[in-house]
Amino acid sequence: MKKITKALSILLVFALVLGFAACTNDKNSDNNASKTYKIGICNYVDDASLNQIYENIEAQLKVIEQEKGVKFNILYDNCNADSNVLAQIISNFKAENVDLMVGIATPVAIAMQAATTDIPIVFSAVSDPVGAGLVNSLDNPGANITGTSDYLNTEAIMNLIFANNPETKTVGLLYDMSQDSSKTPIEEAKKFLDKKGIKYVERTGTTIAEVQQAAQALVNDKVDAVFTPTDNTIMKSELSIYETFAAAKIPHFTGADSFALNGAFLGYGVDYIKLGIETAKMIANILVDGADTATLPVTVFDNGTATINTDICKELGYDYNTLETTFKPYCTKIQSITTAESFTSAAE
């Protein structure tokens, strides 16, 4: 009888161990496969670069879902540069109890930062996070916000202008004064040109119509080249002004490849596909892996890629192969593109 009782006790203990293990496995499974994170993403305007960032965030998050056995529920909206709409979108995200917000471009990130100190925020395509007051430093953001920066090397673009035409006498600066992303590079451009004793003419606009007028004014000013940083207002307007510059034989040097896609002569800066992918990885690092935004460094990128529009290159009378040789000392990569409205979708 004692032997039977002992055997039953052993079986009971074994069953309890198996049951506990099964419960533990089920719990782990629930913590991973069934875990859903709600993310609110707001884009600033509908332009090629910013859209490319969102498309690659979305595509990379799908990859991460498969890798980590989680689910990302994305709420996406676009404020189209309207501050009232932006405020409503952020309010909606908060009402939806999102686990994290993503702000694409500086104005969105600033508005999100002002709206909450509790919800983690990841920004993307912010040219000067420290100057915009979003983070204390790139290495230690210091609060509930961090992200990826498309910081622009203004001096490198200035060097390309003079490598292309050493006889450049006047440079046009085309930008929107209200864009935070333009403030620092425009000041850097002025300092560079002042140091070289080169004249510059500033023309600004806040709407497409105003930008068109500013572009024509620069033609009338007889500038030898035009510089625009990563300015979303000018980016939105590029398709409506590139022919004005091309017809006048004025090369437009800009701070992103999306400008070149939309007809600018050259775009110089970061790879926005990588920007989107790394932004998604940062989102997952915070939500899934538990990283702290306050100590998670801002991600910066090599911005030495020059994208030349070969259609405009021909209109301006330049030889692409010659340009490659001329620009090589100033770039880490040189690539070509033809005029189009948008990039191929990341999902295609």
Side-chain angles (χ1 to χ4, degrees):
M1 185 69 179
K2 289 182 179 180
K3 290 183 178 179
I4 294 174
T5 302
K6 185 176 181 180
L8 288 173
S9 298
I10 293 171
L11 287 172
L12 180 60
V13 171
F14 185 64
L16 287 172
V17 171
L18 287 177
F20 178 77
C23 289
T24 302
N25 287 336
D26 287 343
K27 187 176 181 180
N28 288 339
S29 177
D30 289 342
N31 286 339
N32 291 306
S34 62
K35 183 65 176 179
T36 298
Y37 300 97
K38 189 181 292 185
I39 303 169
I41 303 179
C42 183
N43 200 348
Y44 182 57
V45 290
D46 183 19
D47 77 32
S49 283
L50 302 189
N51 290 346
Q52 194 176 38
I53 291 171
Y54 169 67
E55 289 166 1
N56 283 279
I57 289 175
E58 183 182 42
Q60 184 62 28
L61 286 177
K62 289 179 180 178
V63 172
I64 295 171
E65 283 181 332
Q66 298 298 316
E67 291 177 347
K68 294 185 176 288
V70 296
K71 177 69 177 176
F72 297 110
N73 180 14
I74 298 175
L75 308 179
Y76 174 75
D77 216 327
N78 189 319
C79 69
N80 288 308
D82 188 315
S83 59
N84 293 323
V85 173
L86 174 56
Q88 185 59 55
I89 290 171
I90 295 172
S91 179
N92 291 344
F93 287 164
K94 293 172 70 176
E96 289 285 347
N97 294 315
V98 297
D99 297 299
L100 181 145
M101 288 194 283
V102 179
I104 302 177
T106 304
V108 181
I110 290 174
M112 286 180 172
Q113 183 190 46
T116 179
T117 57
D118 301 321
I119 302 172
I121 301 166
V122 174
F123 57 74
S124 190
V126 171
S127 301
D128 186 6
V130 177
L134 290 169
V135 298
N136 293 333
S137 70
L138 297 180
D139 291 331
N140 292 287
N144 64 317
I145 186 167
T146 186
T148 59
S149 174
D150 60 347
Y151 164 77
L152 183 66
N153 187 335
T154 307
E155 183 175 335
I157 298 184
M158 293 293 107
N159 285 331
L160 292 178
I161 291 174
F162 290 95
N164 180 59
N165 179 11
E167 300 303 315
T168 295
K169 297 292 190 295
T170 306
V171 175
L173 305 177
L174 178 62
Y175 64 102
D176 178 352
M177 294 178 68
S178 68
Q179 289 285 313
D180 287 307
S181 59
S182 290
K183 292 176 182 178
T184 297
I186 287 297
E187 288 305 312
E188 290 173 343
K190 290 178 183 178
K191 290 178 182 178
F192 181 96
L193 295 169
D194 284 337
K195 189 174 181 180
K196 288 181 68 71
I198 301 296
K199 179 183 176 182
Y200 54 82
V201 179
E202 296 179 71
R203 297 292 181 180
T204 65
T206 59
T207 66
I208 291 177
E210 290 177 357
V211 172
Q212 288 173 326
Q213 293 172 0
Q216 185 58 56
L218 287 172
V219 172
N220 297 340
D221 292 328
K222 300 186 184 305
V223 299
D224 299 304
V226 174
F227 166 63
T228 295
T230 51
D231 188 300
N232 292 303
T233 300
I234 310 303
M235 176 63 248
K236 274 178 56 179
S237 309
E238 189 65 41
L239 283 167
S240 68
I241 63 173
Y242 80 91
E243 292 177 319
T244 299
F245 289 141
K249 306 299 182 187
I250 298 173
H252 190 188
F253 292 79
T254 65
D257 56 359
S258 53
F259 287 90
L261 174 75
N262 286 173
F265 163 61
L266 181 144
Y268 181 93
V270 305
D271 184 333
Y272 283 88
I273 293 175
K274 289 182 180 178
L275 201 70
I277 291 171
E278 292 305 316
T279 302
K281 290 179 180 178
M282 188 170 281
I283 292 167
N285 196 4
I286 294 166
L287 291 179
V288 184
D289 302 328
D292 183 2
T293 55
T295 57
L296 186 61
V298 174
T299 301
V300 294
F301 301 82
D302 164 43
N303 63 105
T305 300
T307 303
I308 299 172
N309 185 310
T310 52
D311 295 332
I312 303 304
C313 184
K314 292 176 183 177
E315 287 196 50
L316 295 175
Y318 299 150
D319 176 71
Y320 179 79
N321 293 329
T322 301
L323 288 174
E324 278 191 309
T325 302
T326 301
F327 292 158
K328 188 174 181 180
Y330 307 99
C331 305
T332 56
K333 180 181 178 182
I334 300 172
Q335 60 189 18
S336 64
I337 203 167
T338 55
T339 307
E341 186 173 348
S342 61
F343 291 104
T344 302
S345 171
E348 293 178 357

